[in-house]
Amino acid sequence: MKKILIALLVVAVAVASCIALIGCKDEEKKDEFIVATNAAFPPFEYKEGNKFVGVDMELAQKIADKLGKTLVVKDMEFDSVILSVASGESHVGMAGMTITDKRKETVDFCNPYYNASQMLIVPENDTTFDGLTTAAQIEEKLKSLSGVTIGVQRGTTGNYYVKGDADWGFDGFANVTCKEYDNGGLAVKDIQNGQCNYVVIDEMPAKQIVETSNIVNSSKKVKVISVPLTEEEYAFAVAKGNTELKNQINSIMEELKKDGTFQAILDKYFAAE
């Protein structure tokens, strides 16, 4: 009997310890501002060494400070960001994310903070799109090509634009091969390696990736075709029904815009523009 009582006591202590540990973790999480992102999307989010930097990452820190919480950044594949927010694993998704009706079914969006568009990246010596000035002309040209591979970042607007998706309102290009990558940098590298013809990705990342790629491989330069293919708005995503956090972020963003902080962050990363 004595041994049984001791065993029960040990179990009880272990259970109590586990409960206490879970409680501590829950309390710790309350003091954190957990952001889900894909840190391969410069200039909005990327890494310098072990540090997360970029427009969204600086805004995340400002918001966390205003909320009196510790910023925790979770880096993941882009198409996992929405799931992380919807499941409650992260408080907010900040990943240069376009507002769409499809995504609204899973998460709520804060007020838009940046207007964006998809752009086409091609080899510097490619003349296929010379003289074309509208998205419609670019699309007609793409539809007339054969044996072409277009690289995209998996789960992004560019992915759906090339592949086609009824929910997004994109017809896609049935005549081309849509090749998906973990990030735009890898896709552009494949243009330079001859494994991909073109890349479609968001405007500012396109410009920054091209600049970096041309420094790394100056013998096989690439360029951005300066014709916006889409019109989009970026916003931060929160869990469905989390009106309190959404309103807090909207209010903080308004403050950051009014006091010039938001513009200063944009100027820092978009200085070349």
Side-chain angles (χ1 to χ4, degrees):
M1 177 65 74
K2 186 175 181 181
K3 289 183 178 179
I4 293 174
L5 289 175
I6 293 174
L8 290 174
L9 180 61
V10 170
V11 171
V13 171
V15 170
S17 298
C18 288
I19 293 173
L21 182 60
I22 293 171
C24 288
K25 287 185 176 179
D26 286 342
E27 284 299 317
E28 188 177 283
K29 192 172 181 180
K30 288 180 181 179
D31 295 328
E32 295 175 340
F33 182 59
I34 305 174
V35 173
T37 194
N38 171 240
F41 197 66
F44 289 91
E45 39 269 323
Y46 58 104
K47 295 184 77 172
E48 289 182 347
N50 293 322
K51 183 180 179 182
F52 292 98
V53 296
V55 174
D56 288 347
M57 296 298 93
E58 293 214 18
L59 290 174
Q61 186 63 67
K62 297 293 183 184
I63 293 170
D65 291 343
K66 294 278 187 179
L67 293 173
K69 296 181 181 295
T70 300
L71 176 64
V72 176
V73 179
K74 290 187 175 182
D75 187 17
M76 61 191 70
E77 297 298 327
F78 180 81
D79 51 5
S80 297
V81 172
I82 289 287
L83 179 61
S84 180
V85 174
S87 67
E89 291 182 4
S90 300
H91 294 119
V92 60
M94 303 178 71
M97 190 173 296
T98 299
I99 302 172
T100 68
D101 290 337
K102 184 67 174 177
R103 286 173 176 163
K104 284 181 180 178
E105 295 175 3
T106 307
V107 295
D108 287 339
F109 283 101
C110 300
N111 293 337
Y113 68 99
Y114 187 79
N115 294 325
S117 61
Q118 296 300 304
M119 305 290 278
L120 185 67
I121 300 174
V122 306
E124 189 177 56
N125 59 0
D126 190 296
T127 60
T128 306
F129 306 96
D130 286 5
L132 305 186
T133 58
T134 68
Q137 290 175 337
I138 297 288
E139 290 171 359
E140 283 304 309
K141 176 60 72 173
L142 286 173
K143 290 176 182 177
S144 72
L145 304 175
S146 61
V148 169
T149 298
I150 300 180
V152 297
Q153 181 174 348
R154 186 178 296 105
T156 63
T157 305
N159 194 166
Y160 299 116
Y161 174 82
V162 175
K163 196 172 183 178
D165 190 285
D167 291 328
W168 287 67
F170 295 140
D171 295 330
F173 302 90
N175 58 306
V176 309
T177 298
C178 180
K179 189 173 182 180
E180 299 176 355
Y181 295 84
D182 289 338
N183 60 71
L186 292 175
V188 172
K189 186 176 181 180
D190 259 7
I191 291 182
Q192 296 174 313
N193 292 336
Q195 303 299 312
C196 182
N197 299 99
Y198 307 124
V199 168
V200 172
I201 196 170
D202 298 62
E203 178 181 9
M204 288 310 301
K207 292 178 178 179
Q208 188 150 333
I209 290 170
V210 163
E211 181 181 354
T212 302
S213 298
N214 287 342
I215 293 173
V216 174
N217 192 344
S218 59
S219 64
K220 295 181 180 179
K221 291 186 176 182
V222 290
K223 64 183 179 183
V224 180
I225 301 299
S226 57
V227 178
L229 302 176
T230 63
E231 292 182 1
E232 309 162 39
E233 290 181 318
Y234 288 170
F236 306 136
V238 299
K240 203 76 177 169
N242 194 346
T243 305
E244 181 181 1
L245 180 58
K246 180 174 74 173
N247 290 340
Q248 287 177 324
I249 292 175
N250 285 340
S251 178
I252 292 170
M253 285 297 293
E254 282 302 310
E255 289 179 30
L256 297 177
K257 289 177 181 179
K258 286 180 180 179
D259 67 15
T261 302
F262 177 68
Q263 188 59 51
I265 292 173
L266 291 182
D267 290 343
K268 175 181 177 179
Y269 289 96
F270 299 163
E273 296 302 308

